[in-house]
Amino acid sequence: MDLNTARETILQMQAKASAYGHVTSLLSFDGQTTAPAKTAANRAHTLAILSEDIYKFATSEEYIEVLDFLQEHRDELSDNERRMVWLLSRRLRFMRSIPMDEYIEHERVLVESGEAWREAKANNDFGHFAPYLEKIFATVKKFAAYVDPDMDPYDFWLNEFEEGLTMEFCEEFFGGIKEKIVPLIRRIAEKPQVDDSCIRGDFSERTQEDFAHYLMDVIGLDKDHVGFATTEHPFTTSLGSHLDERITTHYYRDCVGSSMYSVIHEGGHALYDTGSSDEFVYTELDGGVSMAVHESQSRFYENILGRSKEFISLILPKMKELWPEKFADVTADDLYKAVNKVQPSFVRTEADEVTYALHVLVRYELEKKIFHGEVEIKDLPSEWNKLYKEYLGVDVPNDTRGVLQDVHWSDALIGYFPSYAIGSAYGAQFLAKMKESVDVYSCIEKGDFAPINEWNREHIWKYGSSKTPQEVLKLALDGEPFSIDYYVKYLEDKYTEIYGL
């Protein structure tokens, strides 16, 4: 085998892997959006068969041979090719370490667990979901031991979602949250609460859908490549490549802010993925590099931009047009304060910026305890409620609004949650750097997101997965190390002004 043949072969094999990913992602997307309620068994049957083919392909002798050859000739490869080979080799190691029958069974269980979670959430019945969750946690812990028996299994999965992330980093990060942001929450709690009645009432789903499409246009999503649907728990997914992105939302008639910020949040994810360089399409380098960098973009658009004074002034006329009676007498200041109300709550996706990281901390601590045998699945509801009382001071009313609120565990996204909080902090530091060359809030005021999107594209999006998360941060921040201080300052400055602290 010569080098050019190996290069062409590995590209062809990645294109085939991307096609498999396209099919499985379509099945998953359908299952979470338009599929009838009792069709999970049908999808599980199909995915079990596909999973066997995927496993055999991903661990084939041809695949191993070409990767070994490229590893041997890595000094002759470009930086992007070396990164691609490293990522593919890591994936190969994972697949080869896991027995095929266990891999297939896990994929089948994930389809059924999604349906079980939706039923459990709808009926406030954790017991219905618990057996699936038992299997999922046991399986991912076992998979971690197969792949890297010398690594703590929870560190293994943290690293899978955010390359280089460890419990040690999380402890330091969340320690900073407790030390620097919890006092801000306490100071706010001593002030009179802001009035958010203007975003509560009765908002028809049809009008909210019109508003959602308007918001997609405002932030600059390319609707030729970004689709839109509704689901129980909003998410974003790529179907085969960054050329076909799908975002979702969930409408609540009694609060227009819920879908509004879901659309902007998921839109941030889609902007990141669709901004990946076209040269990476159908390769391992396509799309965002990690979940914390991904969440830095979703949370950046949702909160730093979407909850700014300038954004509220920009969209208020549209809200008055869609809901003339409701917003007739609402001022931009009224709406700005309403969407930035700080109040400890039950639901993470509805949480304000200041208390949000505490929701993530609850999930991080529970995952860590389950992995280390300190909490059993059957005790999750009570442990969940205890931590919400301790960290947020709220009494969780039921499991639907408590331990069953997030879809992530049913998808085995264990180790993902810290990325939300870390990404929020990344975003604040990106803002500080962006403002050195872009008049961010003037752009928002004019409804011109192009300069903001272009900065993100040039400094973050275009790299896809060709750089490590830390390399992306280093490039975007001109070598300045990550610091939680930017996040703390952003929150303190903003909410000191809102609450008159």
Side-chain angles (χ1 to χ4, degrees):
M1 182 185 299
D2 62 71
L3 190 56
N4 286 335
T5 300
R7 283 179 166 133
E8 183 60 31
T9 301
I10 201 65
L11 288 175
Q12 291 172 356
M13 298 184 88
Q14 286 177 92
K16 185 173 182 179
S18 174
Y20 276 127
H22 192 171
V23 173
T24 56
S25 295
L26 270 172
L27 284 168
S28 176
F29 181 78
D30 176 69
Q32 296 184 69
T33 55
T34 60
K38 298 293 184 180
T39 57
N42 192 44
R43 290 191 303 282
H45 166 78
T46 301
L47 281 169
I49 293 172
L50 281 173
S51 295
E52 182 173 352
D53 289 344
I54 291 168
Y55 184 94
K56 289 177 178 178
F57 167 70
T59 58
S60 66
E61 289 302 318
E62 181 185 13
Y63 200 75
I64 294 167
E65 181 183 356
V66 71
L67 272 181
D68 284 347
F69 180 88
L70 289 168
Q71 285 280 26
E72 291 169 3
H73 292 80
R74 65 185 312 277
D75 291 343
E76 301 170 61
L77 303 178
S78 68
D79 289 343
N80 285 346
E81 287 174 329
R82 279 194 291 272
R83 173 69 175 166
M84 181 191 299
V85 169
W86 186 86
L87 289 170
L88 290 170
S89 298
R90 183 175 78 161
R91 179 63 178 163
L92 174 62
R93 180 191 177 201
F94 181 91
M95 295 292 280
R96 291 183 74 187
S97 300
I98 297 167
M100 184 174 71
D101 59 337
E102 294 186 28
Y103 174 79
I104 294 168
E105 173 63 12
H106 181 57
E107 293 298 306
R108 186 193 64 77
V109 167
L110 292 185
V111 178
E112 295 181 348
S113 72
E115 184 176 275
W117 169 77
R118 284 185 287 275
E119 291 176 353
K121 183 179 179 184
N123 298 316
N124 187 34
D125 182 6
F126 179 76
H128 179 66
F129 179 52
Y132 296 91
L133 199 55
E134 286 271 11
K135 288 181 183 178
I136 289 169
F137 267 96
T139 299
V140 297
K141 186 175 181 179
K142 183 164 56 173
F143 283 3
Y146 284 154
V147 181
D148 195 337
D150 296 326
M151 190 176 189
D152 184 284
Y154 193 46
D155 270 341
F156 175 87
W157 284 107
L158 289 171
N159 180 68
E160 284 293 297
F161 290 105
E162 181 67 16
E163 190 179 332
L165 185 61
T166 63
M167 286 182 286
E168 182 181 2
F169 179 93
C170 289
E171 296 296 327
E172 181 180 352
F173 176 81
F174 285 115
I177 295 292
K178 292 177 183 178
E179 177 188 350
K180 299 177 180 180
I181 295 179
V182 169
L184 175 62
I185 297 172
R186 291 174 180 153
R187 284 159 54 207
I188 291 172
E190 295 172 356
K191 293 290 183 177
Q193 192 50 271
V194 302
D195 179 10
D196 67 346
S197 60
C198 64
I199 59 172
R200 303 191 181 278
D202 187 9
F203 303 88
S204 74
E205 293 186 1
R206 176 61 184 273
T207 336
Q208 288 194 63
E209 182 178 356
D210 291 341
F211 190 41
H213 284 284
Y214 161 78
L215 293 170
M216 290 172 70
D217 290 334
V218 168
I219 66 175
L221 286 171
D222 176 4
K223 289 181 179 176
D224 288 337
H225 292 98
V226 180
F228 178 76
T230 57
T231 187
E232 175 59 32
H233 187 111
F235 67 95
T236 300
T237 190
S238 297
L239 301 184
S241 78
H242 75 270
L243 302 177
D244 188 350
E245 198 79 8
R246 308 294 172 90
I247 70 170
T248 64
T249 192
H250 185 98
Y251 302 122
Y252 291 96
R253 289 190 64 120
D254 62 349
C255 183
V256 71
S258 180
S259 173
M260 169 181 167
Y261 284 107
S262 288
V263 170
I264 302 171
H265 177 101
E266 303 304 338
H269 281 304
L271 284 166
Y272 183 14
D273 277 337
T274 55
S276 181
S277 175
D278 288 344
E279 70 176 294
F280 300 145
V281 70
Y282 308 133
T283 75
E284 195 73 9
L285 302 183
D286 193 36
V289 64
S290 71
M291 292 323 304
V293 179
H294 238 303
E295 296 301 345
S296 78
Q297 299 305 286
S298 62
R299 302 281 295 165
F300 181 86
Y301 280 82
E302 175 192 356
N303 295 316
I304 291 176
L305 306 185
R307 296 184 196 269
S308 67
K309 286 182 179 180
E310 292 77 9
F311 188 79
I312 294 305
S313 296
L314 174 68
I315 66 170
L316 182 55
K318 183 66 175 181
M319 298 180 81
K320 288 179 180 287
E321 173 191 325
L322 292 172
W323 299 285
E325 293 184 6
K326 180 65 179 176
F327 289 98
D329 299 322
V330 174
T331 67
D333 188 60
D334 294 334
L335 184 57
Y336 172 67
K337 289 179 177 177
V339 301
N340 286 293
K341 180 178 181 178
V342 176
Q343 185 175 40
S345 59
F346 313 118
V347 180
R348 176 186 61 83
T349 56
E350 310 293 331
D352 59 83
E353 288 183 276
V354 185
T355 63
Y356 182 86
L358 297 181
H359 290 258
V360 177
L361 176 58
V362 168
R363 290 148 179 81
Y364 164 71
E365 293 202 350
L366 288 175
E367 288 182 344
K368 184 176 61 173
K369 289 178 179 180
I370 292 170
F371 265 83
H372 298 129
E374 298 170 23
V375 168
E376 295 183 26
I377 296 298
K378 66 180 178 63
D379 297 322
L380 263 179
S382 61
E383 291 295 321
W384 178 286
N385 297 349
K386 183 173 72 174
L387 287 178
Y388 260 77
K389 183 66 173 179
E390 179 181 347
Y391 289 147
L392 288 146
V394 297
D395 294 306
V396 178
N398 53 52
D399 290 343
T400 294
R401 292 173 65 78
V403 70
L404 289 170
Q405 66 182 262
D406 290 308
V407 70
H408 301 65
W409 285 342
S410 74
D411 292 331
L413 300 181
I414 298 162
Y416 181 133
F417 280 113
S419 300
Y420 284 109
I422 296 167
S424 298
Y426 285 173
Q429 195 161 353
F430 289 149
L431 172 68
K433 182 57 63 175
M434 184 186 293
K435 286 168 70 175
E436 293 177 7
S437 57
V438 177
D439 191 344
V440 175
Y441 293 110
S442 176
C443 290
I444 300 172
E445 194 171 37
K446 293 182 291 187
D448 180 13
F449 274 65
I452 297 169
N453 293 349
E454 186 58 30
W455 191 94
N456 281 325
R457 182 177 293 107
E458 283 301 307
H459 293 83
I460 301 169
W461 302 346
K462 72 178 184 181
Y463 295 116
S465 294
S466 67
K467 311 290 183 186
T468 68
Q470 292 308 310
E471 286 171 340
V472 170
L473 260 67
K474 186 175 181 179
L475 287 165
L477 301 174
D478 292 334
E480 183 180 5
F482 166 69
S483 172
I484 194 176
D485 292 342
Y486 286 91
Y487 185 41
V488 173
K489 185 177 188 309
Y490 161 76
L491 292 175
E492 286 184 339
D493 288 352
K494 179 176 179 177
Y495 289 91
T496 293
E497 188 271 333
I498 290 174
Y499 279 89
L501 301 178

